[in-house]
Amino acid sequence: MDQDEYRRRLRDVLDTRTEDVATRLRTIVEAIGDSVESLEIEVFPDQDGEGTFDVWARFDGPDSYVLNKPIDDHRHLFGVVHHETGWEPDVPPLPRGSSADVIVDTVAEWVDSVWTRTFDRPPAIPVAVSSPDGYGEASRIPFVVEPGFELS
């Protein structure tokens, strides 16, 4: 499998979780308080290079524990779990010779599409998709920020 096919297959799996993630993002955005400085959506590829990963959302600002407590039940947007019989969900394995960049870039494009479908306008704080380990061609993909955000 080449990277283009991998991206298509991964996106197919991600798309099956779009409605759940949109619901989680709505709840997270509704919880934005005055102390929240930004919303970070972070992609954590596995360290083994097999192709599993997790996607978490978090608020950034002073006392992040307090900021994130109200969204604890909604922060985990996507994850791949190892079971005895395989992975759940059944994401494709990372193609040989590929780096986690392709995972992060594909997830970032998916999150952008979910965000665009879910909200009319972005919130009045920065929102970014990133990989704390610096994976992805653009390790931070900012959304346009506009004041006066309202849920659609």
Side-chain angles (χ1 to χ4, degrees), residues 17 50 52 79-90:
R17 302 299 204 269
E50 294 178 339
T52 62
V80 181
V81 178
H82 286 271
H83 291 290
E84 290 180 15
T85 58
W87 296 345
E88 176 57 37
D90 190 19

Side-chain angles (χ1 to χ4, degrees), residues 14 51 86 114:
L14 292 169
V114 173

Side-chain angles (χ1 to χ4, degrees), residues 18-84:
T18 294
E19 291 307 315
D20 176 58
V21 170
T23 300
R24 290 174 181 277
L25 287 173
R26 279 188 207 96
T27 301
I28 290 167
V29 166
E30 288 171 354
I32 293 173
D34 292 338
S35 299
V36 176
E37 295 173 358
S38 66
L39 172 59
E40 303 291 326
I41 300 172
E42 297 175 315
V43 184
F44 296 91
D46 69 345
Q47 298 301 311
D48 299 333
E50 294 178 339
T52 62
F53 61 94
D54 284 285
V55 182
W56 288 83
R58 69 174 175 84
F59 291 144
D60 195 30
D63 200 352
S64 64
Y65 176 79
V66 172
L67 291 179
N68 287 292
K69 191 67 178 155
I71 62 170
D72 269 351
D73 293 339
H74 308 281
R75 293 180 55 224
H76 191 227
L77 302 179
F78 187 89
V80 181
V81 178
H82 286 271
H83 291 290
E84 290 180 15

Side-chain angles (χ1 to χ4, degrees), residues 99-140:
S99 76
D101 292 340
V102 69
I103 294 171
V104 173
D105 291 341
T106 304
V107 170
E109 290 169 8
W110 171 67
V111 169
D112 184 49
S113 73
V114 173
W115 190 275
T116 301
R117 284 183 38 179
T118 306
F119 303 108
D120 288 335
R121 291 180 281 159
I125 61 169
V127 178
V129 180
S130 65
S131 170
D133 295 325
Y135 290 111
E137 287 185 25
S139 63
R140 290 182 60 83

